[in-house]
Amino acid sequence: MVTPLTYEILLALADAPRHGYGIIKEIEVRAGADSAPSTGALYLALQRMESEGLIEESRRRPAASEDRRRRYWSITARGRETAKAESERLAALVAAARRKDLLAGDMA
Amino acid sequence: MSRRVVRWILALAPRSFQDRYGDELLSTLEARSSGPRGLRSGLREVAGAAWLVIRLHLRREHRLSEAGGARGAWIAAAWQDGRYAVRMLRRNAGFSTAVIAVLALGIGATSAIFSAANAYLFRPLPFADPERLVTVFETNPEFGWVDQTAAPANLLDWREQVEAFADVSGYTEFTDELAALREGQPVIVTGTEVLGNFFSTLGVPAALGRTFRMEETWLGEDDVVVLSHDLWVDHFGADPDVIGRRFEFANHAPEIVGVMPPGFTFPDRDIQLWYPMGFDPAAATDLSFRRAHWVRAFARLESDVSHAEADAQLQVVVRRLQEEYPATNAVMGAGIMPMRDFLTQDARTSLGILLGAGAFLLLLACTNVANLLLVRASERAREVTLRCVLGASRPRMVRQMLIESAVLAAVGGVVGLALGWLAVRAVSATAPMGIDGATSVSLDWRVALFTLGAAALSGLVCGTAPALRAGRDGTDGLLSDGARGSTAGRAGLRAAAALVSVQVALAVLLVVGAGLMARTFWLLQRVDPGFRTDGVLAVQFALQAPRYGSRDDVLGFYDRFAEALEARPGVERVGTVARLPLDGRSWSSQFIAEGWPPDRVGIEILHRRADPAYFEALDIPLLSGRMFEPGDRLGPQPLGASPGRGVVLVNETFAREYFPGEDPIGRRITYDRAPGPRSIWYEIIGIVGDQQQESLARPALPEVFENRDQDWGRNNWIVVRGAGDAADLIEPVRSVLGELDPLIPIARIRPLETVRTESMVGERSILLLLSAFGLAALLLATVGIYGVTSRAARRRTQEIGIRMALGARGKDVERLMLARGLAAVAVGLAAGLAASLIATRALSSLLYGVEPTDPVTLGAVVALLGSVAWLACWVPVRRATTADPLAALRSE
């Protein structure tokens, strides 16, 4: 089991390497501006995830038009496995919820 | 704004984190905060960053502890204590929030005030070798001048003759609002006059081009100007090729020779351009060049010269000038003081007071927290005892308590810093000025350090007492007894009562200070300044030469403007005056009256020029004699010419002071102390009502009104009285001005009521800050009293139950309990009153119409604090006595 923020970050990085701001934009677009973590919380999570081997720094460098200070982060094989396991766990939970008529969208 | 706070907080993160993630984090933060963000998201970022730093340190400590060794064991224990502390504090969220809020309040207030004090009193001026810069002032015991501006001729003589001065320069303390055109639109630029060596003496080079040369001080040299960085950006789009171009404003089009670095606006924060004084070489030997004192002089000392040596040399030159120029310099002295001291002298008193008040508030907050911690310690006595019995060592228990208060202090410190940063903005908006152009208030690393120091100290002070008690309780080992009834518990109550006394005393001090300022402010607001302010709008515009070069151009425009405006509905009267009353600026001179003995002279009389409509617009009564009339339009005449042509009005104070028991009307005066054939004589034709000129707290000074049509000038205020609100007049003023000449920009426009309010801005900012402190003090003391009484009441629930069961009436028990609680309050009130009798003397220079020992204020404060304290005692007592006696008996 991983924290919701860890899962959000893994999800954001699943398709492409992103920098910190990119991760936040991705979360904002997907889940709304209120769901994005504070910048401090994001980097606290990034530091932990890097030390746990879930993400690593990508070789991609910021484009000339971008802020030079940016770093791109990409998901590791271990991170991808973790995200998969968590997704399956969540999917199982959702399936269980559906069976018990807890998912409004299914009523029709 | 939150970005800077986050940056400071991040500086506290472990180095390894900063190296790897710091830059990108800031880049992300900037990207996020570039859009529109509210206060809430800003606070969220600050809290997020604080949490990040705390967690990172905890993680690192944890890793070190796992590394092992003696140090590792210690860290492991501390880590455990830290986690335990955080857990305990989270479990008691209400208590923790209270402590953090109280600490943050004290720390925030103190750090804000400290920031202001730091900026004004301690930070060096932003000039080269600022400690060698001195202000050179003139003195005159006859006129009561102590730090007067210098006469240009004297300044130039000091420059020549005092060898200890590497250079002497000067500037005017007045700023000019000048008309200029920007892309065809009229705009106002703010400029000031300086000597040619102004920048070189300060030691600040131009960022672009050059600064002035000394010879450019004089007329006849090339007309030159230096721009501020902001004006260069706004007006010229930061064009680097601006040097050598002409900048057209007001009367001329001087050549731009330089642009100053960003942030340099000395001597006033509004300055956008500097130009040379333009002394006339032909007039350099005139009497007026040595008689009019209007240049603020400063000097740079030679590097090997002490202040005392420089002053001694200056005195030699002063004596020489006294002998050489008796007509102007007979009693003129001069002196030096460090430039920073001069620039900050007005702010020093008020900052000192606020610094003291802030320190008291911090002390109060610490006492309050100590009290809260004491209460907690006694409530936790059982837990402590239990842990001791189970084998915890005393030092370990002491450390546990200390760590808990340290965690509280750390969080309180961070929140306090954020609060302080908010408060700094409030302080810098209202702080007493004088040093504007040289420095600005901001929260810097020194303040952050101070705040953290204050937090650490608070933690130590607040934590020690409960920690030591925790250690002692540990040896009791009486699990069955708990805290109740033990000697330690009673000692705790006594300590708490003592803390209540201290809190009440501190609160008295702060509330008395606020009360005295409130009285002052209230009295000032009720002062009748001698003129009406409601429904009057004041406006000043810059008439640009060459179209307004002559007297007739200027006066003709004023007349046309007044006529057109008075024709508008809602406009009643439009007058002209050189300076507004209560605006804080005035010229003064001496005068003699015809027929006076040779040694008699009137000193420090103020001057203004006005037209008759000014007095009508502001309801200033003509007490006797007559007003200016159209026939007075001719210029003033030398003595011997047909009399009565040069005319002036005087105010009531002038008449009373210089012509007691006589009728001054028809008397003639001149401003020359030794009148000659060229002296100008004015006949006094009328007496008008007094108007306060400098501040509401100062009575009117003797004043002479010259006739606008005779002694005309270019810079005037137009006062417009309307039938309704002053703000309603802004639109007609703008439209009439636009119709008459769309290229004239409005330099200043504001209701006269605002001028009056702004004259009290110093008093108001101190009142606001002291009130905030007083209110916080009142709140803290109330919380403290309530906490202690309710704890005492709880401890006595059983006793009360027994008394009631044995037949005591609720009222009697209540009285007994109240008496105990209020005794501590009474001690505090008495101590606070005694202390405030001494401490409020520091306030006396800021007070108006009220003594520092004002019995009404002191009485009101005692009544207020007494009744609040009574309420804070009564509520818990009442609750205890109305409880069911049986339940009370059963309660353990």
Side-chain angles (χ1 to χ4, degrees):
Chain A
M1 211 181 122
V2 297
T3 68
L5 179 57
T6 305
Y7 186 62
E8 288 273 16
I9 294 172
L10 289 173
L11 217 53
L13 295 179
D15 51 352
R18 292 176 202 280
H19 47 65
Y21 185 52
I23 296 173
I24 285 175
K25 290 309 279 181
E26 160 82 13
I27 297 176
E28 278 181 356
V29 166
R30 184 157 31 76
D34 289 344
S35 314
S38 77
T39 312
L42 175 75
Y43 282 87
L44 191 63
L46 287 179
Q47 194 241 17
R48 179 174 44 77
M49 288 167 72
E50 192 183 11
S51 69
E52 287 169 357
L54 298 178
I55 58 168
E56 63 188 3
E57 191 178 347
S58 158
R59 274 192 298 278
R60 184 169 159 193
R61 291 282 154 253
S65 60
E66 276 186 294
D67 190 334
R68 305 302 298 171
R69 292 172 295 177
R70 281 182 181 162
R71 285 165 190 260
Y72 278 82
W73 305 97
S74 59
I75 193 164
T76 61
R78 184 169 171 203
R80 199 169 288 280
E81 257 170 53
T82 308
K84 255 187 207 152
E86 179 68 6
S87 305
E88 279 158 16
R89 191 181 68 83
L90 292 174
L93 282 178
V94 171
R98 185 167 289 145
R99 279 195 301 276
K100 297 188 183 231
D101 284 346
L102 287 173
L103 222 57
D106 277 8
M107 296 306 282
Chain B
M1 2 191 264
S2 54
R3 233 187 291 169
R4 286 172 65 191
V5 183
V6 169
R7 202 179 294 230
W8 291 321
I9 296 177
L10 278 182
L12 303 172
R15 180 116 308 266
S16 57
F17 178 87
Q18 287 189 45
D19 289 347
R20 180 137 183 83
Y21 304 92
D23 278 352
E24 209 224 333
L25 195 164
L26 288 176
S27 135
T28 302
L29 185 70
E30 282 161 26
R32 292 186 86 178
S33 55
S34 59
R37 314 286 297 193
L39 179 69
R40 235 188 90 196
S41 73
L43 287 178
R44 198 164 150 257
E45 288 291 2
V46 171
W51 180 236
L52 169 86
V53 169
I54 292 170
R55 284 300 300 263
L56 286 173
H57 279 287
L58 289 179
R59 270 186 206 166
R60 199 178 60 159
E61 293 299 302
H62 187 51
R63 273 201 308 281
L64 283 180
S65 71
E66 283 174 341
R71 182 159 177 260
W74 190 89
I75 291 172
W79 165 245
Q80 210 179 4
D81 285 348
R83 287 179 57 120
Y84 185 75
V86 171
R87 232 182 8 248
M88 286 308 293
L89 295 175
R90 279 175 76 158
R91 198 188 300 162
N92 295 281
F95 162 79
S96 310
T97 315
V99 172
I100 289 167
V102 166
L103 265 183
L105 202 67
I107 286 169
T110 321
S111 63
I113 295 302
F114 186 82
S115 303
N118 179 31
Y120 290 127
L121 305 184
F122 306 121
R123 198 185 295 163
L125 296 174
F127 310 131
D129 292 329
E131 69 286 350
R132 287 201 289 122
L133 287 171
V134 292
T135 295
V136 191
F137 51 85
E138 296 209 75
T139 60
N140 185 325
E142 195 177 287
F143 297 171
W145 291 352
V146 286
D147 50 12
Q148 184 60 269
T149 40
N154 291 344
L155 187 159
L156 293 172
D157 283 336
W158 299 333
R159 185 167 185 265
E160 288 292 310
Q161 300 176 24
V162 181
E163 283 172 10
F165 292 159
D167 209 345
V168 182
S169 187
Y171 54 91
T172 57
E173 288 173 331
F174 294 83
T175 59
D176 300 320
E177 272 70 37
L178 307 153
L181 287 179
R182 181 178 300 161
E183 288 154 11
Q185 292 299 308
V187 291
I188 288 293
V189 290
T190 305
T192 196
E193 293 177 321
V194 298
L195 255 62
N197 60 349
F198 173 78
F199 298 101
S200 60
T201 308
L202 289 176
V204 182
L208 200 65
R210 63 169 177 91
T211 56
F212 300 134
R213 305 191 180 104
M214 187 58 193
E215 58 270 22
E216 286 166 343
T217 309
W218 301 87
L219 273 183
E221 292 294 325
D222 287 337
D223 210 358
V224 287
V225 67
V226 166
L227 309 181
S228 76
H229 179 266
D230 287 357
L231 185 65
W232 176 58
V233 171
D234 291 348
H235 207 91
F236 295 96
D239 179 0
D241 295 327
V242 75
I243 304 299
R245 276 164 58 185
R246 300 263 159 195
F247 182 57
E248 282 186 45
F249 68 92
N251 301 330
H252 45 206
E255 179 188 339
I256 299 164
V257 295
V259 176
M260 293 311 288
F264 182 89
T265 60
F266 189 73
D268 190 285
R269 76 170 87 176
D270 297 328
I271 301 289
Q272 293 172 296
L273 71 168
W274 296 264
Y275 33 86
M277 300 249 171
F279 294 146
D280 185 355
T285 51
D286 281 7
L287 202 60
S288 64
F289 205 50
R290 204 174 286 280
R291 189 176 58 188
H293 295 256
W294 56 280
V295 181
R296 180 51 71 193
F298 65 96
R300 177 172 288 281
L301 300 185
E302 291 284 4
S303 53
D304 52 349
V305 169
S306 71
H307 280 220
E309 278 171 68
D311 192 46
Q313 286 190 27
L314 176 65
Q315 297 315 322
V316 173
V317 175
V318 162
R319 273 192 295 280
R320 198 182 299 155
L321 294 178
Q322 285 175 348
E323 285 163 20
E324 225 168 309
Y325 306 102
T328 51
N329 283 40
V331 285
M332 292 302 305
I336 57 174
M337 75 165 99
M339 195 165 176
R340 196 186 61 192
D341 292 356
F342 173 77
L343 294 174
T344 55
Q345 60 185 358
D346 292 342
R348 199 162 307 153
T349 313
S350 41
L351 277 177
I353 289 164
L354 293 175
L355 209 53
F360 283 141
L361 190 65
L362 185 62
L363 202 62
L364 182 52
C366 287
T367 352
N368 206 300
V369 169
N371 214 339
L372 286 169
L373 286 172
L374 263 179
V375 172
R376 277 261 300 160
S378 73
E379 277 164 7
R380 283 175 60 189
R382 265 165 180 249
E383 173 214 331
V384 170
T385 314
L386 186 65
R387 287 182 69 183
C388 282
V389 166
L390 293 178
S393 69
R394 263 186 75 178
R396 183 70 191 273
M397 292 309 302
V398 172
R399 193 174 66 187
Q400 171 65 47
M401 302 301 265
L402 277 178
I403 283 182
E404 275 183 35
S405 42
V407 168
L408 283 174
V411 180
V414 171
V415 180
L417 195 64
L419 265 182
W421 168 79
L422 282 174
V424 149
R425 296 159 60 91
V427 173
S428 63
T430 55
M433 284 304 152
I435 188 170
D436 304 19
T439 187
S440 60
V441 186
S442 62
L443 211 57
D444 67 3
W445 62 269
R446 265 172 288 223
V447 175
L449 211 67
F450 173 83
T451 302
L452 291 177
L457 196 71
S458 313
L460 210 65
V461 171
C462 301
T464 308
L468 291 178
R469 283 206 45 214
R472 208 174 44 211
D473 282 1
T475 55
D476 283 356
L478 290 171
L479 267 176
S480 58
D481 181 74
R484 195 159 292 133
S486 74
T487 44
R490 270 202 295 280
L493 261 190
R494 271 202 301 277
L499 285 176
V500 161
S501 299
V502 173
Q503 288 179 40
V504 170
L506 287 168
V508 167
L509 262 179
L510 289 167
V511 178
V512 163
L516 288 172
M517 281 315 291
R519 281 270 286 174
T520 293
F521 196 67
W522 186 73
L523 288 169
L524 279 181
Q525 271 185 320
R526 293 165 58 92
V527 166
D528 174 11
F531 57 91
R532 73 180 276 171
T533 54
D534 55 308
V536 181
L537 184 74
V539 57
Q540 194 178 40
F541 33 74
L543 299 178
Q544 193 169 8
R547 286 177 302 136
Y548 298 97
S550 76
R551 163 202 156 116
D552 287 347
D553 294 339
V554 172
L555 297 186
F557 182 81
Y558 284 141
D559 287 342
R560 281 203 306 284
F561 179 77
E563 200 180 325
L565 195 55
E566 277 177 0
R568 294 291 177 111
V571 178
E572 291 179 354
R573 204 77 180 96
V574 180
T576 316
V577 68
R579 278 181 315 281
L580 295 175
L582 292 181
D583 203 19
R585 305 169 167 208
S586 46
W587 289 110
S588 64
S589 75
Q590 43 187 312
F591 83 97
I592 58 168
E594 203 179 350
W596 272 7
D599 58 336
R600 184 159 182 214
V601 64
I603 55 164
E604 291 294 274
I605 54 154
L606 303 181
H607 293 270
R608 266 191 287 168
R609 58 170 180 269
D611 66 354
Y614 164 73
F615 299 96
E616 289 170 33
L618 266 59
D619 280 351
I620 300 159
L622 176 71
L623 300 173
S624 66
R626 68 171 177 89
M627 242 316 137
F628 299 130
E629 283 165 8
D632 298 325
R633 251 183 190 269
L634 294 171
Q637 304 294 308
L639 193 65
S642 60
R645 294 294 193 172
V647 293
V648 289
L649 295 166
V650 297
N651 72 353
E652 219 180 331
T653 302
F654 183 99
R656 197 175 51 238
E657 243 174 61
Y658 293 109
F659 299 96
E662 304 172 55
D663 185 6
I665 291 173
R667 301 290 294 268
R668 307 219 294 171
I669 61 170
T670 182
Y671 305 129
D672 290 341
R673 195 164 180 176
R678 284 174 59 204
S679 296
I680 295 164
W681 289 86
Y682 295 89
E683 180 189 337
I684 298 171
I685 55 165
I687 303 174
V688 294
D690 280 341
Q691 306 144 60
Q692 279 169 304
Q693 302 100 340
E694 294 185 350
S695 83
L696 288 168
R698 286 195 67 178
L701 300 169
E703 185 167 27
V704 175
F705 288 90
E706 278 101 28
N707 183 357
R708 184 205 75 170
D709 291 342
Q710 257 166 9
D711 298 84
W712 73 283
R714 201 180 291 279
N715 291 317
N716 294 294
W717 281 94
I718 309 290
V719 289
V720 187
R721 190 185 74 202
D725 202 42
D728 298 340
L729 298 166
I730 295 177
E731 202 283 316
V733 163
R734 284 191 193 281
S735 84
V736 167
L737 192 61
E739 282 164 26
L740 289 179
D741 186 343
L743 291 183
I744 294 178
I746 287 179
R748 301 191 183 105
I749 186 162
R750 51 180 134 152
L752 209 51
E753 188 53 43
T754 310
V755 175
R756 180 195 161 108
T757 317
E758 279 174 3
S759 77
M760 296 183 285
V761 72
E763 284 88 357
R764 200 183 55 178
S765 60
I766 294 172
L767 171 67
L768 284 179
L769 283 164
L770 278 186
S771 303
F773 285 5
L775 200 68
L778 201 60
L779 210 70
L780 289 180
T782 311
V783 170
I785 297 166
Y786 179 85
V788 170
T789 325
S790 64
R791 178 170 149 234
R794 258 203 316 282
R795 287 172 52 86
R796 293 220 160 81
T797 311
Q798 202 171 19
E799 178 196 329
I800 293 168
I802 294 172
R803 280 174 189 266
M804 305 271 279
L806 292 179
R809 284 181 308 152
K811 275 254 169 337
D812 297 332
V813 177
E814 223 174 278
R815 200 171 302 135
L816 183 74
M817 299 285 301
L818 267 179
R820 283 178 184 163
L822 288 177
V825 173
V827 171
L829 280 178
L833 272 183
S836 66
L837 285 180
I838 301 163
T840 48
R841 263 184 233 155
L843 269 176
S844 55
S845 67
L846 300 172
L847 299 180
Y848 168 79
V850 51
E851 290 294 311
T853 54
D854 180 44
V856 177
T857 309
L858 294 181
V861 169
V862 169
L864 175 71
L865 267 167
S867 43
V868 168
W870 183 84
L871 204 67
C873 283
W874 183 77
V875 170
V877 166
R878 177 81 190 164
R879 209 162 45 209
T881 50
T882 48
D884 174 15
L886 270 182
L889 274 175
R890 244 183 260 118
S891 94
E892 185 201 11

